[in-house]
Amino acid sequence: MSEDIYGEGPLKIYWRNPLHSDRRIVVCENPDIDEAVNRLNEAFSEKRVVIVVGSCWVDYRGRASSKLEPGERIVIVKEDGAVLVHRSKGYEPINWQPSGCILQVFKEEDNLVIKAVKRTPHEVVTMFFDRIHFLSTFKLVDEGEFSLYASEEDMQRAILAEPSLIEDGFKPIDYERKVKPGFVDVYGIDRDGRIVVVEIKRRTAGKEAVLQLAKYVETLRRSLGREVRGILAAPEISRDARQLLLSLGLDFRRVDPKKCSELLRRKEERRIVDFFYHP
Amino acid sequence: MSEDIYGEGPLKIYWRNPLHSDRRIVVCENPDIDEAVNRLNEAFSEKRVVIVVGSCWVDYRGRASSKLEPGERIVIVKEDGAVLVHRSKGYEPINWQPSGCILQVFKEEDNLVIKAVKRTPHEVVTMFFDRIHFLSTFKLVDEGEFSLYASEEDMQRAILAEPSLIEDGFKPIDYERKVKPGFVDVYGIDRDGRIVVVEIKRRTAGKEAVLQLAKYVETLRRSLGREVRGILAAPEISRDARQLLLSLGLDFRRVDPKKCSELLRRKEERRIVDFFYHP
DNA sequence: CGTGCCAGGTGCCAT
DNA sequence: ATGGCACTTGGCACG
């Protein structure tokens, strides 16, 4: 029976059963404070993921500080020590601690206290529970790969692979080139041999992007002592950014992140086809 | 017995029991796909909060697109439709949907499919589960107030309440004053009657902050046709931001967000004392 | 470690 | 809807 725990079959749920130390899922409904303390201590020491649903209040002290008055929330503690306090609405946690914090759990005046401490910067999140509706701890097996497409990095790679996305005759020389402080996304020469700086934005470019580009162009113009063109590559440009761009003598080139991602995929497919079917 | 559901006593957990339509917490371990579909449909229609732990893969298409290969994760769906897919590590969800999206749940090829669709921009997150270890749905009662201290807003209020934080003789006239595009944090006159623009940052100010301040100063200088001073108020300023600041003839004033928050608290206490004990 | 910069940023509030 | 901006922004890459 206990062999199933290690097998590939459906996960077993053990109910208030402390005997199987490597069981994968533990669920307690309405545990008392002492039981919760025990469960959490064992979960933290075994780096298990924890979900607590209950009535709590939360203090935070660190770069800023905050106070959350009592209410029912979901608290998640991950195996790397990341802590999330979620209310019933919204994308963002109301309180949190990024990964790498140290966890303590104890009972104090009939409340369950979970303390999450991080240093540099020194920050403390303290959660007080006076009632726990539900507590679950488990190990998640997750080796699945995550791939994101149509990011700014995809745009950069696509431009390097297919420079005509910027303009005909454009030849990239370098990318992520350090300039003063900051990095030029792509750096190259145009069909007339002029130096070109390309600033890439994956969404509508604002004035900030234009100023960033202008800064690089100006810095390079001075250090090289010759003409430098600046091209802003983005799917869209805001009205006043366009105005500023023109007044600074810079260019805009419409580049769509999704098309970049598709272009890369096609190139990759062709590479694979070439590899397998080349005569 | 069913009266307890409405009472103030500990929440009841009903196990695979579809009869109590307003029970507050439902927990299913290892439900089959059909049961999960039913539970989720009822949860979404009743705007219950949902936690699913199981083996899933996730597709996202929208501003960008992403693919998450199979693995065990925690999925949370909140009562406003916010969706979070969390892996075993890290502060951030690996996939998500902000609040306000439309949810569908169905069975497809023996998998549970949860689809979360949002418009403007059109984005779709689709989660496929081939095994559900654990599913819980519930209503969270949460009216607790949240207060954040030592935010930029606290700094602004503190400077308005105690202008000497900027410099002796400084007199604020306005705040959040609209300038061209943008808002001046605090606007006033110094001891010599010169116009002063204050830009506040709650953490180390970088060049961006300096440029922001310079923009306001320049705009006001032109529109008023007279000298305008610019003061950057922040707990710290980065090295090259300081250099830039000096080259632009702007000033820096060290202001600590926590001290601002304490100052406000003291002022508030005094206000209350005055109110109760004034002769 | 600080500094710079991206993010599917999100959220809040303004016109 | 768009714009401007703060955020305990988090995260990464680099000096």
Side-chain angles (χ1 to χ4, degrees), chain B residues 91 148 152 181-182 199 201-203 212 216:
Chain B
Y91 161 82
L148 179 68
E152 187 182 297
E199 173 63 33
K201 284 284 170 280
R202 72 166 305 286
R203 50 178 180 170
Q212 203 174 340
Y216 296 139

Side-chain angles (χ1 to χ4, degrees), chain A residues 205-221:
Chain A
K207 280 179 300 179
E208 201 179 79
V210 176
L211 290 171
Q212 204 173 339
L213 175 60
K215 184 186 70 178
Y216 295 140
V217 168
E218 194 50 40
T219 309
L220 274 170
R221 204 170 264 164

Side-chain angles (χ1 to χ4, degrees), chain B:
Chain B
M1 171 173 135
S2 66
E3 283 169 20
D4 272 335
I5 303 168
Y6 308 93
E8 288 300 311
L11 297 188
K12 300 302 178 188
I13 299 200
Y14 291 85
W15 215 257
R16 297 187 175 182
N17 179 349
L19 299 176
H20 301 81
S21 71
D22 47 4
R23 65 208 171 288
R24 286 174 65 194
I25 295 204
V26 174
V27 178
C28 314
E29 9 78 78
N30 229 11
D32 63 33
I33 302 300
D34 292 313
E35 178 173 1
V37 169
N38 292 338
R39 289 278 177 247
L40 290 172
N41 267 321
E42 122 197 319
F44 295 157
S45 69
E46 295 173 14
K47 297 200 181 303
R48 298 164 72 84
V49 180
V50 171
I51 301 177
V52 186
V53 178
S55 172
C56 67
W57 56 103
V58 184
D59 281 353
Y60 154 69
R61 264 160 201 288
R63 289 164 292 180
S65 59
S66 72
K67 184 170 225 184
L68 177 62
E69 301 291 349
E72 293 175 343
R73 285 116 198 180
I74 303 166
V75 172
I76 294 177
V77 184
K78 296 201 188 178
E79 64 180 53
D80 61 354
V83 176
L84 307 166
V85 182
H86 274 282
R87 308 186 80 163
S88 56
K89 292 176 192 172
Y91 161 82
E92 294 189 324
I94 184 70
N95 280 111
W96 71 91
Q97 198 68 284
S99 62
C101 73
I102 291 159
L103 292 153
Q104 294 171 53
V105 57
F106 50 91
K107 181 178 174 176
E108 188 178 84
E109 293 175 8
D110 288 331
N111 297 319
L112 168 71
V113 183
I114 304 174
K115 206 165 186 170
V117 180
K118 194 168 71 74
R119 51 185 66 192
T120 61
H122 182 67
E123 304 209 276
V124 185
V125 172
T126 316
M127 292 151 277
F128 305 83
F129 286 85
D130 61 1
R131 204 183 288 173
I132 296 152
H133 304 324
F134 172 78
L135 189 160
S136 177
T137 82
F138 43 86
K139 284 274 190 187
L140 291 180
V141 178
D142 182 2
E143 302 297 329
E145 195 182 343
F146 178 72
S147 322
L148 179 68
Y149 309 96
S151 61
E152 187 182 297
E153 190 190 337
D154 273 7
M155 292 174 72
Q156 190 187 57
R157 287 171 53 220
I159 288 167
L160 292 170
E162 188 51 65
S164 69
L165 283 168
I166 294 303
E167 62 180 30
D168 286 335
F170 174 61
K171 288 195 179 64
I173 296 168
D174 200 0
Y175 61 96
E176 297 300 321
R177 190 192 190 84
K178 181 134 182 56
V179 171
K180 181 80 165 297
F183 299 85
V184 169
D185 287 333
V186 176
Y187 173 88
I189 54 171
D190 73 3
R191 72 177 78 85
D192 301 322
R194 285 174 297 193
I195 296 289
V196 176
V197 165
V198 181
E199 173 63 33
I200 303 170
K201 284 284 170 280
R202 72 166 305 286
R203 50 178 180 170
T204 304
K207 280 177 303 176
E208 204 179 75
V210 176
L211 291 171
Q212 203 174 340
L213 175 61
K215 185 184 72 179
Y216 296 139
V217 168
E218 194 51 41
T219 309
L220 275 171
R221 204 170 267 163
R222 274 189 222 184
S223 69
L224 300 176
R226 55 183 283 199
E227 186 185 5
V228 176
R229 291 182 59 204
I231 302 180
L232 181 57
E236 208 74 51
I237 183 167
S238 76
R239 213 179 157 63
D240 40 0
R242 166 151 241 139
Q243 206 167 2
L244 179 61
L245 185 93
L246 293 176
S247 77
L248 292 167
L250 305 169
D251 294 332
F252 172 72
R253 177 64 191 240
R254 184 180 307 272
V255 179
D256 181 60
K258 285 189 207 177
K259 284 183 184 154
C260 289
S261 149
E262 283 158 24
L263 184 145
L264 288 175
R265 187 169 48 74
R266 282 197 306 274
K267 291 244 173 196
E268 187 60 25
E269 270 169 19
R270 181 174 309 189
R271 239 172 46 84
I272 291 168
V273 169
D274 285 353
F275 179 78
F276 282 109
Y277 299 104
H278 204 278

